């Protein structure tokens, strides 16, 4: 038997934060929370693990820096060395101060673009994907909490109403 979920709708982010803390303290499992804007501290209140996206950003930046160094060394030193302003191109290290802006820009370029791609892939946000939002009001001014139903449905419903929910949607029994 598949677990069903109650959908509780809130109209204030402070009420939502207190509700999430109260629901978790009562040992109910929160499936998902939909909000129209980021709510600071909600991830901690839900008990979610810290994100590792900063580590990937650092790795993408290192990749961009490496590509920049290899590219500049090949283009400006190995492939077509030029004597610009009386400064000969005998080695990469002699000319590195002139290449610093290119290294910085390539580092930022790789980190930014690959982070966007990683975010979309991790969030499963493909082009032309249909929205999975259960209530259209959560894109405007309401907050929705999906709570997995345990053994006592009435206790959960009263808990959700007690925490300040303006609506509680109970799944229909088949």
């Amino acid at each position: 038997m598949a677990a069903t979920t109650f959908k509780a709708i809130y109209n204030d982010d402070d009420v939502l934060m207190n509700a999430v803390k109260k629901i978790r303290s009562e040992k109910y499992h929160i499936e998902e929370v939909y909000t129209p804007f980021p709510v600071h501290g909600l991830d901690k209140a839900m008990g979610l693990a810290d994100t590792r996206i900063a580590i990937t950003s650092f790795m993408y930046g290192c990749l961009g820096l490496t590509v920049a160094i290899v590219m500049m060394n090949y283009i400006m030193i190995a492939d077509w060395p030029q004597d610009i302003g009386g400064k000969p191109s005998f080695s990469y290290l002699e000319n590195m101060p002139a290449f610093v802006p290119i290294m910085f820009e390539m580092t930022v370029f790789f980190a930014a673009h690959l982070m966007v791609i990683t975010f979309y892939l991790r969030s499963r946000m493909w082009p032309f994907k249909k929205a999975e939002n259960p209530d259209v009001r959560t894109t405007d001014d309401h907050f929705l909490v999906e709570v997995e139903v345990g053994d006592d449905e009435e206790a959960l419903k009263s808990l959700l109403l007690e925490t300040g929910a303006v609506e509680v949607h109970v799944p229909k029994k088949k």
Side-chain angles (χ1 to χ4, degrees):
M1 179 174 133
T4 57
T5 57
F6 277 17
K7 293 178 173 80
I9 296 179
Y10 298 87
N11 58 6
D12 185 57
D13 57 338
D14 293 329
V15 175
L16 171 76
M17 282 295 291
N18 293 330
V20 166
K21 291 174 185 174
K22 178 77 172 166
I23 293 167
R24 289 213 0 113
S25 70
E26 296 290 329
K27 305 295 186 217
Y28 286 103
H29 175 67
I30 298 175
E31 281 292 321
E32 190 65 67
V33 176
Y34 297 90
T35 64
F37 53 84
V39 178
H40 181 69
L42 186 60
D43 54 342
K44 299 286 186 213
M46 289 179 61
L48 299 176
D50 289 336
T51 180
R52 296 182 303 261
I53 205 154
I55 297 168
T56 60
S57 179
F58 178 75
M59 291 189 310
Y60 294 152
C62 290
L63 176 66
L65 180 64
T66 303
V67 167
I69 290 171
V70 170
M71 177 188 74
M72 291 181 302
N73 188 45
Y74 176 74
I75 292 172
M76 298 299 290
I77 307 299
D79 185 41
W80 193 358
Q82 298 178 33
D83 187 356
I84 300 172
K87 298 177 184 170
S89 298
F90 295 130
S91 74
Y92 178 79
L93 289 177
E94 289 175 0
N95 294 297
M96 192 177 71
F99 297 150
V100 168
I102 299 168
M103 291 187 290
F104 173 76
E105 291 297 331
M106 289 291 284
T107 301
V108 171
F109 178 85
F110 269 69
H113 286 79
L114 292 175
M115 283 302 298
V116 168
I117 292 169
T118 300
F119 174 75
Y120 283 143
L121 291 175
R122 184 71 179 101
S123 300
R124 293 181 175 90
M125 293 173 56
W126 324 119
F128 310 110
K129 182 182 179 207
K130 185 178 181 293
E132 297 176 0
N133 199 351
D135 193 325
V136 72
R137 293 177 293 174
T138 60
T139 61
D140 187 22
D141 62 349
H142 282 72
F143 305 87
L144 186 136
V145 178
E146 288 183 344
V147 183
E148 192 173 298
V149 177
D151 296 332
D152 192 2
E153 292 183 5
E154 286 302 317
L156 177 58
K157 183 176 179 181
S158 65
L159 173 68
L160 293 174
L161 290 171
E162 176 186 311
T163 59
V166 292
E167 293 178 32
V168 175
H169 297 282
V170 180
K172 295 179 182 170
K173 297 190 191 245
K174 294 181 180 181

